[in-house]
Amino acid sequence: MASTIKSTDLDFTNIKQKLKSHFQKKTEFNDYDFEASGLSNILDVLAYNTHVNALTANYSLNEAFLTTAQLRSSVVSHAQTLGYEVSSSTAAKAIVNLSLNLAGVTGRPAQIALAEGTTFTSSIDGVTYTFRTRETFFAQDNGTGLYIFKASDDTDNITIFEGVEKTKTFLVGEKDERQIYVIPDVTMDISTAVVEVFETASSSTFVTYTPLSQAINVDANTTHFSIFESPNGFYELNFGDGISFGKSPEPGEKIVVKYLSNKGAAANNGTVFTPSSTITINSIAYPLNTVTVTESTGGAPQQAIESIRQLAPIAFAAQKRLVTALDYKGMIETNFAQVKNAAVWSGDQNIPIDYGSIYISLNFQTGTSDPVKQKVKDEIVGNFTNNLSVMSMTTKFTDPVDVFMEVNVAFQFDPALTGKTLGAMETDIYQFIQTYFATNVENFDAVFRKSNMATEIDALDASILNSSITVKPSLRQDITINALNTFTLNYPVKIATPDDVLHRVSSSSFEFGGVIGTMKNRLSST
């Protein structure tokens, strides 16, 4: 993480004292009283001017580099220079099965269409969110009056997206001027943008442009667009130059952009989706039946500054080719909002060695369902590793092993130094530990140091005099009752040396045959 320049690093008082010392060494100022109001004010002005210029120079120099920039606009600009596409906020998505039962209805049609933009509502933590379809789906009468709507892949799985669909219209101006198309919406999901270019402002025919990221060959006639974050946080729509980087809309043409304005991660974990409208057949309204296949997932806020800082150089080095483990890692974390982070290693680093393979372990966002996890894995293989790998490598996925930490904190505090009770202080420390682990530990390659956590606990409140922490790693294993269970537990740390008094490995309590027991290692052995 980049460091932040503090104004105290360029102290005003120190600067003024150095100026005073400088002038006192000059013979022409031997008899001057630098504490007098006149000269003191002049020194104040000089010191202030030096202080501000030094700070400005430091801040400006910091913002000139990706690794030290603090402003989001600067970090985004440097990432774009490297050709990296910064992620916008992402709409949550859910998969549902939709059907309509018209059994016994006379004169029912052979086919029914579910219009694009059909909305559904879902309540999450007491807040109602709106989901919608983004294309038209069709259902055929199965002969009994049951209509099951099908997706484009002929499955029953219909994807619905959270958000409000918005439209922004632009008229193309004179060609000798650089056209700037700004979409003033910080909640835009750029992956949902649909760009249509009409011949005139009143024309009904249009050409649909496709994202530049999907382009294979680009020439003067290809119709592609790109959307990137502008310095003020809005989004800017760009086209080719009409020469070698794709076709540019002509003067007088109309550009219509449709997209979803979304709530990001807040709309995740929706489980029940209620249609907001009915389907009318022969002037009678019939309810749409909805069955949830996967809860809403994938909603995410704008990509964080530190994530941009880390992934932009990796993406630049990869150049849309998968060669090293970092290339795979950058590709996955950039393109899949459901993945918190990824660990990648080659087959020669695997145990056992497996040449010709690349192993991937994915740390998904909390609440991601198993079908969504499998869909992400399938898309990684189908859309990326099979196409971008520079050699024949077999992609294999390994599920991560969750290691739990049993943390016991003992602390002393002086109630006279705070207005909090012992119970309130315990609650504060407990909540801090939860936040600390979520922020610093729940990622691949994260390192836990209890000394660092103890230091931060001591700094929580002036009343905490000292603290001590004991930590035990814990693995959890499901077993089958009344059967022989054989399994191997791999701990991420070295187990303590055998002891003739303390059991180094022990289980939680369990009941077997009416007796409460635990499993422990034999003393003096592991």
Side-chain angles (χ1 to χ4, degrees), residues 189-375:
D189 182 350
I190 61 176
S191 66
T192 64
V194 176
V195 177
E196 299 169 344
V197 178
F198 296 77
E199 292 182 355
T200 64
S202 59
S203 176
S204 59
T205 60
F206 59 86
V207 175
T208 300
Y209 279 53
T210 56
L212 183 61
S213 58
Q214 299 176 7
I216 299 176
N217 296 313
V218 179
D219 56 32
N221 297 314
T222 54
T223 52
H224 296 293
F225 71 89
S226 61
I227 297 178
F228 57 83
E229 187 177 331
S230 60
N232 62 0
F234 294 152
Y235 290 91
E236 186 173 321
L237 173 65
N238 279 266
F239 299 92
D241 58 1
I243 301 174
S244 58
F245 294 105
K247 185 178 180 180
S248 177
E250 298 293 331
E253 291 185 332
K254 180 176 70 173
I255 302 171
V256 176
V257 185
K258 300 176 183 177
Y259 66 92
L260 287 182
S261 177
N262 67 94
K263 303 295 185 181
N268 288 338
N269 305 319
T271 56
V272 178
F273 301 92
T274 304
S276 302
S277 58
T278 56
I279 294 180
T280 302
I281 304 294
N282 298 332
S283 302
I284 299 177
Y286 293 92
L288 189 65
N289 300 316
T290 306
V291 176
T292 302
V293 177
T294 65
E295 64 182 19
S296 58
T297 60
Q302 283 184 322
Q303 188 174 0
I305 290 178
E306 290 305 320
S307 175
I308 301 171
R309 203 192 309 276
Q310 177 187 18
L311 293 178
I314 295 175
F316 176 73
Q319 294 293 303
K320 292 190 178 295
R321 291 294 182 267
L322 301 179
V323 181
T324 68
L326 281 179
D327 297 341
Y328 284 81
K329 175 181 172 67
M331 175 274 297
I332 293 170
E333 295 182 5
T334 298
N335 291 281
F336 297 93
Q338 299 93 336
V339 178
K340 185 184 297 185
N341 66 323
V344 184
W345 64 96
S346 57
D348 63 310
Q349 298 174 321
N350 193 61
I351 301 175
I353 293 176
D354 184 11
Y355 294 111
S357 298
I358 189 78
Y359 283 82
I360 300 174
S361 188
L362 303 176
N363 182 17
F364 286 94
Q365 300 285 358
T366 303
T368 305
S369 62
D370 289 339
V372 172
K373 291 179 181 179
Q374 187 58 51
K375 183 180 179 182

Side-chain angles (χ1 to χ4, degrees), residues 80-150:
Q80 291 169 352
T81 302
L82 297 176
Y84 181 73
E85 184 176 323
V86 177
S87 299
S88 66
S89 62
T90 307
K93 296 177 282 290
I95 298 176
V96 296
N97 293 156
L98 303 176
S99 61
L100 188 68
N101 192 347
L102 298 181
V105 177
T106 58
R108 60 179 183 259
Q111 176 178 277
I112 295 177
L114 183 68
E116 174 186 345
T118 300
T119 59
F120 304 77
T121 59
S122 181
S123 180
I124 305 170
D125 296 330
V127 180
T128 300
Y129 297 89
T130 300
F131 290 73
R132 67 185 60 243
T133 59
R134 300 215 75 217
E135 57 183 296
T136 301
F137 299 99
F138 297 92
Q140 306 289 336
D141 186 351
N142 71 343
T144 66
L146 180 63
Y147 297 79
I148 300 176
F149 292 93
K150 299 288 185 178

Side-chain angles (χ1 to χ4, degrees), residues 469-490:
I469 302 175
T470 57
V471 180
K472 294 181 181 179
S474 172
L475 294 177
R476 300 176 184 178
Q477 175 67 43
D478 294 328
I479 61 173
T480 303
I481 299 176
N482 298 324
L484 177 63
N485 292 263
T486 302
F487 49 84
T488 301
L489 299 178
N490 296 310

